[in-house]
Every structure is written in structure tokens, then in C-alpha cells.
Amino acid sequence: MNSTPSAEPPEQQPPEQPPFWSLKPWWCQPWSIVSTGVLVVGGSWGLLHRLWISLPLAVGVLAWWLLFLVLVPAAYRSAAEPQG
């Protein structure tokens, strides 16, 4: 057994980042984002029965979902990974 101190400092781990969704309020959780989008598109179709209104809303909701449910969490994860 070697009891002499090592000249190399111990590797320090960066502090662990909390999970992305734990940082968000209730109205910005995946279940609330999905349910709001479904209600908006379903509500517009249920009330108006106009495809020319509901279809652009659906496209906007899909873009919103892509941004907030896929791209932002992925960017958060990649920023949390150690650069090497």
C-alpha cells in the first residue's frame, strides 16, 4: 500500500443539474402543455367546425410542442453534459 500523497489533485465533478422539468412551474409541465394544445385545437374545431381556423391552430400547437417539449429540454441536457 502506498501511503504517500498523490501529486495529482482529485477529479472534481461538476455540480449535478436538477432535472429540467423540476425547474418549471405547474403551468409549464408537459401534461399542461399537451392538454392546453389539445383543448385549443379541439375547442376550435368543436365550436367552429372550420378547418381553415383549426388547421393553422394545430400547426402552431405542433410547433409549440416541438419547441417546448423536444428542443428546449434537449438543449438543457446538452448544456449540462461535460464538454470533452
Side-chain angles (χ1 to χ4, degrees), residues 8 21 24 28 35 40 53 56 62 66 81:
E8 296 177 19
W21 295 112
K24 301 296 176 192
C28 196
S35 61
V40 166
I53 294 174
L62 288 174
L66 176 67
E81 290 176 358

Side-chain angles (χ1 to χ4, degrees), residues 46-59:
L47 292 173
L48 304 171
H49 294 290
R50 298 286 184 257
L51 191 59
W52 63 273
I53 294 174
S54 297
L55 194 58
L57 278 174
V59 170

Side-chain angles (χ1 to χ4, degrees), residues 2 17 35-36 48 64:
N2 189 356
Q17 276 193 312
S35 61
T36 302
L48 304 171
W64 177 40

